[in-house]
Every structure is written in C-alpha cells, then in structure tokens.
Amino acid sequence: MGPAELVQAAAMARRFYLEGKSKIQIAEEFGVSRFKVARVLETALERDLVRIEIRVPAELDAERSDALRARYGLRHAVVVESPAEAEESPDPENLGEVAADLLGELVTEGDVLGLAWGRSTIHMAAALDRLPPCTVVQLTGVYDAGTAERGSVEAVRRAAQVSGGDAHPIYAPMLLPDEATAAALRNQTGIARAFEYFDKVTVACVSIGSWEPGISTVHDMLSDEERAHYASLGVAAEMSAHLFDAQGRRVGRDLGERCITVEADRLRRIPEVVAIAGGQRKAAAIDAVLRSGLVTSLVTDTAAADFLLTAGAAPRPALQRADPDD
C-alpha cells in the first residue's frame, strides 16, 4: 500500500473500529463503494495496520470458557485461573466471587433464587454485592444444623439482604437417620413453606462433590458401611444429596428419601441451574454432573477445565436437560 492508501485505510479503520460508523457511512464519506471499504478494512488487518486485542480481566480464561461452553452445550461457562494451592483446595474462594458477579447478571427482578448447601455457594453468597429484588429459598438442608448460622441459612439470608427480597431458609439437617424422620421434617411448617417455592425457582446455584472424604458432604455424613454400599453402585459425584455415576446417571436413589433436598426432577425444570465447582480433585465429578442434564451453566477453574475439555466422549448438550436414564 502506498502512502495515500495507507492514510485512507487508517482513516477508514478509525471510523469503523473507534467511531462505530457503518461501512455504508464510510463509503459515502469517502466516495467509494461499501465493498471497497470492506476490502480496505480487511487489508488493514492483514497488513497489521489494525490490531484487534480482546481483553478480559486477568483471572478469567475466555478461551477455555468458550471451549467448555461449546463442548457441554452449556448456556454459560466461566473459567477462572486456578490458585496456586488448587490441588489442596477443592473449593477455591475465587470461584464464589466470580459466581456472585455472574448471578448479578442472571437474576432479574421478581425471580426466585434457590441456593443449595455447599462451600462454593456459601463463598458466593458472602461475595454478593448486587442482586435485583428477588425471593431467595434454600434448596437443601444443612451439613450440620449446629453450623447453620455459618452455612446455608446464612447464605440465604445474605442473598435476601442484598436483594431486598424475602428469605425462606430451611432449619434442618440435609441427611436424616431414616425416611420417616425426613418425611416428618418435610411436613413441618417452615420447611414445607420452603418446599412450596421449589417449583417457582427460576435460577439455582449448586455445588458438586466427588465421592471421597472432605470433598462430598454426603460421603462424610454416612457410615463406613453406607459409603461402601454406594461406592459399589459406581457413585462418582454428588450434588445436593443426589448421587451420580461417571455417565451422569443417578444411583442410590433411596438415599434421597432420607434427605431434605430439592428433587432431581424439580431441578431439571429450573430454567437456570449454575454449578460452582473447581479443582483437579473434583474434575471427574463435575464431568459426571454436567452429563446428568440437571445443570445449565458452570463456574470452574483452569485445573478442572483442562480435564473437562478432554474427558471421554462428547456429552449430550446440557441445555437439552436430557436424563441419561431415558
């Protein structure tokens, strides 16, 4: 390109990329066809006269995020850089912070937000600083009723405080000794009122656990004999007291009868279910839950994403909400 062509190309590029003018407007200004403008802009890119740089905050990995969204057919996938101690920490707090920002985008006024028990959702609630007016309901009982003030109940209260909406916590353990005790608790007034909101939930946040000590709430609440029993069924992941094998099929469904939790069928009907989980130790469990058809979006880290992007055969698109058992 000669000097005149360079000057003209620079001017056209400035109009298009910086001033936001259309190719037709530029063509009219310079007295050429819009096809000529398109060729000049294309040449400007090829000759390095124009450089396009896509920048996102340093902690976000846009390339992995888009690849993960496409692979699993998710609505949203957000991948953040793993902290240095990722191998030791299965629930990096930065996931909760990013999830809080995502929730600020997804929730609209009048929505019903559901929060399941999990360290990741608790971190997310603590990081919330904006939410439109919405109702907040707890989707599961707590890991230990004695820690309710520092766990799910407090997370629900925090989210409701930020949004200015009503809170519907559940003051009960997640896992009960038997089906009869669980059924009795579900009929208690406060818990029954929360359950009535389950079919109204429009956005839900859940955590994921792998089947090992310290990584799965349910695993840690069971006896050695019970753990061995469910392990024999091939359990690879746990979410909201629902167990899944490596292909995303639900196993050990009898456990749900002893739990205070949102049913899987109800979860499947919620328009937006965001899972928050990361770390190498949870990667296979995340893959299993994404194959279940219960989750529509994911917040994770690079350690888990690298595994997920190469894990087994390509899954069915998550947005189909298909049950692997069907």
Side-chain angles (χ1 to χ4, degrees):
M1 298 175 72
E5 291 176 311
L6 285 169
V7 170
Q8 185 184 66
M12 288 183 177
R14 185 176 298 107
R15 303 288 194 281
F16 185 74
Y17 291 108
L18 299 182
E19 299 175 12
K21 291 187 175 181
S22 69
K23 293 175 183 176
I24 293 176
Q25 290 174 313
I26 297 170
E28 291 175 350
E29 178 182 347
F30 287 89
V32 298
S33 71
R34 62 186 177 90
F35 302 104
K36 168 71 172 177
V37 173
R39 286 196 299 272
V40 170
L41 292 174
E42 184 177 344
T43 301
L45 283 171
E46 292 174 351
R47 300 291 180 86
D48 213 23
L49 186 63
V50 172
R51 296 181 182 180
I52 298 177
E53 183 179 10
I54 300 173
R55 302 182 64 184
V56 295
E59 69 271 16
L60 297 182
D61 191 311
E63 186 175 349
R64 284 185 176 93
S65 297
D66 188 55
L68 202 58
R69 179 199 57 76
R71 172 172 168 77
Y72 285 89
L74 295 160
R75 183 172 290 116
H76 304 284
V78 182
V79 178
V80 304
E81 288 292 334
S82 300
E85 68 279 10
E87 292 189 10
E88 300 300 325
S89 173
D91 297 286
E93 291 194 24
N94 63 335
L95 293 185
E97 295 167 2
V98 173
D101 289 338
L102 177 62
L103 211 60
E105 293 182 47
L106 299 181
V107 176
T108 60
E109 184 172 353
D111 275 343
V112 176
L113 171 62
L115 300 181
W117 193 96
R119 284 178 289 264
S120 296
T121 52
I122 292 169
H123 292 159
M124 181 275 299
L128 282 172
D129 59 11
R130 63 185 176 96
L131 269 183
C134 65
T135 298
V136 186
V137 60
Q138 193 169 322
L139 296 178
T140 65
V142 297
Y143 174 57
D144 181 349
T147 62
E149 292 300 318
R150 303 189 299 277
S152 301
V153 171
E154 182 55 33
V156 169
R157 287 175 173 168
R158 167 66 182 168
Q161 180 185 33
V162 172
S163 73
D166 293 332
H168 296 277
I170 293 177
Y171 296 95
M174 181 189 295
L175 179 65
L176 282 304
D178 52 62
E179 296 179 13
T181 304
L185 277 177
R186 290 190 201 103
N187 289 325
Q188 287 190 356
T189 303
I191 297 174
R193 186 178 299 118
F195 267 64
E196 289 173 359
Y197 275 90
F198 286 0
D199 286 329
K200 303 174 185 177
V201 173
T202 49
V203 180
C205 285
V206 300
S207 295
I208 296 172
S210 56
W211 198 245
E212 58 179 298
I215 312 296
S216 165
T217 299
V218 172
H219 180 282
D220 292 347
M221 296 171 75
L222 295 173
S223 67
D224 290 341
E225 182 179 353
E226 289 170 324
R227 291 170 190 157
H229 166 66
Y230 291 115
S232 72
L233 300 179
V235 60
E238 175 257 316
M239 178 185 71
S240 303
H242 300 295
L243 309 182
F244 306 87
D245 68 11
Q247 300 306 314
R249 296 183 293 259
R250 290 183 59 212
V251 296
R253 298 189 182 210
D254 60 303
L255 184 66
E257 299 300 318
R258 294 169 50 195
C259 294
I260 303 297
T261 186
V262 60
E263 299 94 328
D265 289 342
R266 278 176 158 171
L267 265 178
R268 201 179 302 279
R269 293 195 296 268
I270 296 174
E272 182 74 85
V273 179
V274 181
I276 312 167
Q280 293 179 4
R281 295 174 66 186
K282 282 192 176 183
I286 296 169
D287 175 64
V289 172
L290 291 181
R291 293 172 185 271
S292 72
L294 295 176
V295 170
T296 60
S297 297
L298 174 69
V299 177
T300 190
D301 60 6
T302 52
D306 286 342
F307 173 91
L308 294 170
L309 289 171
T310 58
R316 297 162 75 175
L319 292 180
Q320 289 183 1
R321 313 305 292 276
D323 188 337
D325 285 328
D326 293 341

